[in-house]
Amino acid sequence: MTDPKYDLHCHSNYSDGSLSPTELVLRAKEQGVSTLALTDHDTVQGLFEAQQAAEQQAINFIPGIELSCLWNKKTFHVLGLNIDANNAELLAGTDQLQIIRLERAKKIATKLEKNKIPGAFEAVQNAAGAGMITRPHFANFLINQGHVSTMQSAFDHYLGQGKPAFVNTQWVELEDAVHWIKAAGGIAVLAHPMRYKLTASWMRRFLTAFKELGGLGIEVITARSNPDEIRRTIHFARQFELFGSIGSDFHSPKNQWVELGRLAPMPTNIRPVWELFTN
Ligand code: AMP
Ligand code: MN
Ligand code: MN
Ligand code: MN
């Protein structure tokens, strides 16, 4: 028996990933993942297909989501793990987020138009299909139209904060995001804690609020984290008695630096979030 391999954070083409839920599960199987959570941005639409594919591949599947929310006017991503994808409160929340994303996409397209780049809204809407429209959809459009050559340069020149097509988005509040996850029976986990560039004291303020709202976990290991980031995250996890999660944040096979399941092991002094996966 080989060791179990967890990957509790990845994306399908129902948000900004490039693989369908089925393709994602097949790839996870190839990579030896034994427990996989699909965590698309603000939507549960891919979960049913992924669950079915996982049953066929004998992979343990954890229904998940990655919610975009605001705390102190700053954007944070909170994972909901082991959610009931049929929960009415959660679905009302994702409906709200879908409208927020649609309205934001219109605003981004208008800004691009002012920069002499027309047609973005129709293009991203077609590309996203039934799923969520995300900035990577705009980045792909800008690449396809020859305005930039990479995803990174699309963010650097157009889509990133302070760039010509950046839109300051009114996501839902952290309080609501955590509440919906709890309502759906899920576990709220702070995603990629080092990506927000918070000082230690702001991180403590955030985690104090997160804990008070019912947040239970923190992503200790992600694909890109370096040893120093892991060390700092372990410190916060222990200080705030949070369960640890591990996830690649896989989006596409095109990114050769990130692979499903290719992750450092959970540090031994951290309680793994999967201890809470009882049902
Ligand atoms: P959105 O939630 O629509 O604002 O899109 C955010 C997503 O864009 C993140 O989940 C990443 O997948 C991707 N992203 C953010 N910043 C960058 C960047 N600098 N380069 C490439 N992808 C990025
Ligand atoms: Mn993403
Ligand atoms: Mn994220
Ligand atoms: Mn993600």
Side-chain angles (χ1 to χ4, degrees), residues 9 11 41 66 77 79 191-192 195-196 249 251:
H9 185 166
H11 297 271
H41 295 287
E66 181 174 17
H77 285 177
L79 300 170
H192 41 65
R195 219 179 291 166
Y196 311 107
D249 206 2
H251 284 75

Side-chain angles (χ1 to χ4, degrees), residues 105-137:
K106 289 177 190 164
K107 289 182 190 158
I108 294 174
T110 302
K111 289 195 165 188
L112 286 173
E113 230 166 283
K114 287 188 179 135
N115 284 272
K116 302 193 168 49
I117 303 178
F121 183 71
E122 292 70 25
V124 298
Q125 214 180 18
N126 281 335
M132 287 291 177
I133 305 176
T134 67
R135 280 187 292 167
H137 288 104

Side-chain angles (χ1 to χ4, degrees), residues 84 86-96 176 179-184:
D84 169 8
N86 296 310
N87 178 267
E89 263 190 279
L90 176 64
L91 292 176
T94 57
D95 282 351
Q96 203 177 316
D176 295 319
H179 175 79
W180 298 332
I181 291 166
K182 287 196 299 179

Side-chain angles (χ1 to χ4, degrees), residues 219-239:
E219 216 169 38
V220 174
I221 305 288
T222 81
R224 311 278 225 127
S225 35
N226 63 44
D228 182 58
E229 290 174 327
I230 295 173
R231 188 184 55 74
R232 274 150 55 209
T233 309
I234 290 172
H235 177 77
F236 289 121
R238 290 180 64 82
Q239 186 178 3

